[in-house]
Amino acid sequence: MTTTTDQTTMNPEVIALGDPNLSFSFAERRTMMNFIQTLILWILAGIAAIPLISVLYMLISRGGARISMSILTELPPAPFEQGGGIGNAIVGTLVMVAIASVISIPIGVLGGVYTGLINPNSRFSATVRFVGKVLTGFPSILSGVFVYAWLVIVMKTYSAVAGGLSLAILMLPTILLTSEQAFRMVPQRMKDAAYGMGCNATQVATRIVLPTALPGVMTGVMLAVAGASGESAPLLFTALFSNYWIGSFTEPTASLSILIYNFSAMPYENQIELAWTASLVLVLIVLVFNILSRSFGTRRV
Amino acid sequence: MAKTSKPVPPSNGSVSRPPTAFEYGYDKSFRFLTFFAGLLIVVLLAYIFWKIGGQAAPAMRQYGLSFLTTVEWNPNTNEFGILAEIWGTLYSSFLALIFGGGLGIAVAIFLTQGFLNARLAWVFRLIVEMLAAIPSVVFGLWGIYVLIPAIRPMASWLHDTLPFIPFFSTNLAGPGMFPAMIVLSIMILPTVAAISQDAFKAIPMKIQEAAYGMGTTKWEAIRKVIIPTASGGIFASLVLGFGRALGETMALAMLIGNSQQVSLSLFSPATTLASLLASTFPEAGANQIGPLMYAAVALLVITMAVNIIGTIIMSYTSRQTVT
């Protein structure tokens, strides 16, 4: 590193072989530490990947073993009964997620239009944004407690509507924040051009920004739907469970997640097998919506 | 912004015309509709507090603060206390924060600091994101039938060899704090990893290059330059991960054992506020609803406080990195 450096770097032989002072050797403590830390990081990353691999393996081997058309279309079995299926739980989950979407998508997207487009820098928008961020960390079970206190006590019955409403509360912040983000991603000059043409704020929002930002909005919606399909805690005392097909929106309704919860604690092998099959179906539903959200996201403006 | 819809006098011979009354009203009502949607979201949060608080008020008056400091939960004698639940909630979340938070930060470093080529990094990112997509109840099922049998030999070995350490003072009979903590760690890992990745990505490349230029090894740069620079975002990710762990319900209701006791032991069954609600609410008698609502208020206050702190830290640090 002293005066010799100049001479050695000028030497063509040294240039070909590399400067011995810059050589890579494990004998040096710093290099060794670097290697050890990298190794530890690889091990930690490996540990982080184990649970997912184990869960997927179990879902495919235990859940996949029982999967068949009759499982997907039959009603859950009574204790000691063999066979049976999870048909009503699949329908119930989809119905409640649909109810939740109908409630939360308009509110979330319109709220996003206000905070992202109509009046982004106002104090009110900042408040809405803040409430949205806080709500993303809202414990899902409290959404169930709230809907119980608000709706179930009044209606005097557990119902699909109450279940859907509790899921809607959990979907709302995701839709709000991602759609706001999507509206802000629309280039300012597109909005300016539309205003310059004499459009009013509504026309800019509905004709220019919404169509342009639609992929981003759909990403958020699909993510929210995926999250809601996997939720179980809020359904425990809003939709409860039912062993029969859904007849109306105002009666207790089955869902895949509550079926898994109930059957996992049962001492019967048949029910436990069904819980694994239901888990496989539930994970597939969640993954389908996740993949959909991704496929929208790639078509960026 | 842009208030373009004021009526202007018509100009003859021009293609432009002032908005009709219908267009004017349509614009006004649409804007009001979006404002109303935003308002609804704010009102919703306030209404949640008011509604749960209102249901809990009678129980709060009846049991007072001793509710928070006693352990007994006995519907037959009308004795209710949630000290064990508060302890279990904080203890399990804290343990999960140590393990899941550490792993999450490790994953974030692994993914952002060039340890993998682009394709492998994509696969690994997918693995972590899928971890976040697995429903809590599926992790609960996995915990009962895969995790608990797998860790039982290790737990009994630790108990047999080191019974004098308070963490290992009881044997793992089945459900308990330890399996619950592991599943909770898995569930907060994606949250911590995602938010700290954003913090790492926000660091300008030249800071890293300056460190290498000084002759640091990769890890010296990570430890002494990258992590301190991203520390605000990492801290926010840990606080938000902690908030997530506090409110997590189903996996804990299935794995923690639901037993009212305050214990340091990792292998004894415990309980949390969320799992108390999950396991007691569906079959609760009339006298239990009030105390359960009181417990819900306790959970609401704890989680909202942690989440608000995390959100504020995150908005503060992200504003800092931009400028």
Side-chain angles (χ1 to χ4, degrees), chain B:
Chain B
M1 236 169 71
K3 292 193 167 61
T4 51
S5 39
K6 275 209 183 81
V8 289
S11 53
N12 290 332
S14 162
V15 286
S16 66
R17 56 171 176 75
T20 61
F22 173 76
E23 282 168 340
Y24 186 69
Y26 182 67
D27 179 45
K28 268 271 183 258
S29 47
F30 179 78
R31 286 205 233 176
F32 178 74
L33 196 67
T34 61
F35 172 79
F36 183 72
L39 191 67
L40 211 61
I41 292 161
V42 179
V43 168
L44 176 71
L45 188 66
Y47 191 57
I48 288 172
F49 272 87
W50 189 74
K51 198 77 207 179
I52 296 181
Q55 291 282 324
M60 286 166 119
R61 271 195 294 277
Q62 190 182 344
Y63 298 100
L65 284 178
S66 71
F67 185 74
L68 305 175
T69 53
T70 53
V71 170
E72 196 70 30
W73 185 282
N74 192 339
N76 299 321
T77 57
N78 267 333
E79 282 176 284
F80 298 105
I82 54 166
L83 182 67
E85 282 78 11
I86 293 177
W87 164 256
T89 305
L90 295 176
Y91 190 45
S92 63
S93 304
F94 182 70
L95 290 170
L97 188 65
I98 294 174
F99 289 89
L103 276 178
I105 295 170
V107 165
I109 294 173
F110 191 61
L111 282 173
T112 53
Q113 301 304 310
F115 286 95
L116 288 174
N117 67 39
R119 188 164 301 172
L120 279 177
W122 181 81
V123 171
F124 198 80
R125 195 164 286 133
L126 199 69
I127 289 178
V128 177
E129 280 170 20
M130 266 178 86
L131 213 51
I134 304 281
S136 165
V137 69
V138 174
F139 273 123
L141 187 71
W142 176 78
I144 294 174
Y145 294 103
V146 180
L147 184 65
I148 290 179
I151 60 177
R152 198 178 276 149
M154 190 191 77
S156 15
W157 181 82
L158 280 171
H159 171 62
D160 291 342
T161 40
L162 304 161
F164 44 86
I165 298 176
F167 299 128
F168 309 135
S169 56
T170 50
N171 206 359
L172 183 72
M177 182 61 87
F178 191 58
M181 174 208 91
I182 293 179
V183 168
L184 210 48
S185 309
I186 298 169
M187 300 184 72
I188 70 166
L189 190 156
T191 309
V192 175
I195 301 173
S196 1
Q197 269 188 70
D198 290 343
F200 283 124
K201 279 184 202 152
I203 299 175
M205 198 59 196
K206 52 184 168 176
I207 291 184
Q208 215 164 335
E209 281 161 0
Y212 289 148
M214 297 285 285
T216 62
T217 62
K218 192 182 191 104
W219 272 97
E220 282 165 348
I222 291 173
R223 278 211 331 267
K224 294 180 182 160
V225 178
I226 304 291
I227 292 181
T229 314
S231 57
I234 295 175
F235 187 61
S237 81
L238 290 176
V239 175
L240 291 175
F242 187 65
R244 186 94 3 135
L246 291 172
E248 181 45 52
T249 309
M250 295 310 277
L252 290 189
M254 293 162 88
L255 290 173
I256 205 164
N258 298 314
S259 131
Q260 264 88 23
Q261 53 176 321
V262 177
S263 156
L264 266 181
S265 171
L266 297 177
F267 301 145
S268 63
T271 182
T272 69
L273 286 167
S275 71
L276 170 82
L277 288 168
S279 52
T280 318
F281 216 117
E283 289 123 30
N287 66 330
Q288 276 199 77
I289 296 290
L292 281 170
M293 287 291 176
Y294 194 171
V297 168
L299 179 63
L300 186 64
V301 169
I302 296 173
T303 50
M304 285 296 103
V306 171
N307 271 306
I308 288 170
I309 292 169
T311 309
I312 290 172
I313 295 172
M314 194 156 79
S315 64
Y316 178 69
T317 52
S318 64
R319 201 177 306 146
Q320 234 179 6
T321 44
V322 166
T323 46

Side-chain angles (χ1 to χ4, degrees), chain A residues 207-262:
Chain A
R207 306 256 179 90
I208 309 291
V209 175
L210 257 178
T212 319
L214 196 63
V217 174
M218 287 307 286
T219 304
V221 168
M222 288 299 149
L223 272 180
V225 168
S229 341
E231 275 299 345
S232 30
L235 301 179
L236 275 173
F237 30 81
T238 52
L240 210 66
F241 191 74
S242 146
N243 281 317
Y244 307 100
W245 295 100
I246 179 169
S248 79
F249 290 160
T250 52
E251 60 181 31
T253 307
S255 58
L256 281 170
S257 46
I258 302 298
L259 181 135
I260 298 166
Y261 178 64
N262 289 343

Side-chain angles (χ1 to χ4, degrees), chain A residues 38-125:
Chain A
T38 305
L39 194 69
I40 292 172
L41 191 70
W42 273 90
I43 293 169
L44 288 179
I47 291 173
I50 292 173
L52 182 78
I53 293 164
S54 170
V55 167
L56 291 182
Y57 172 76
M58 287 306 287
L59 286 178
I60 293 165
S61 67
R62 285 201 70 171
R66 280 285 297 273
I67 207 150
S68 68
M69 227 28 229
S70 62
I71 291 258
L72 299 180
T73 53
E74 279 172 26
L75 288 173
F80 294 117
E81 204 179 61
Q82 286 304 305
I86 54 173
N88 64 339
I90 297 176
V91 174
T93 293
L94 295 178
V95 165
M96 283 191 280
V97 170
I99 294 174
S101 305
V102 168
I103 300 169
S104 62
I105 293 173
I107 300 176
V109 174
L110 286 176
V113 168
Y114 189 87
T115 57
L117 199 68
I118 305 278
N119 209 347
N121 299 319
S122 68
R123 180 162 291 201
F124 177 71
S125 288

Side-chain angles (χ1 to χ4, degrees), chain A residues 8-19:
Chain A
T8 46
T9 44
M10 290 314 223
N11 185 342
E13 203 174 306
V14 171
I15 291 171
L17 295 173
D19 187 334

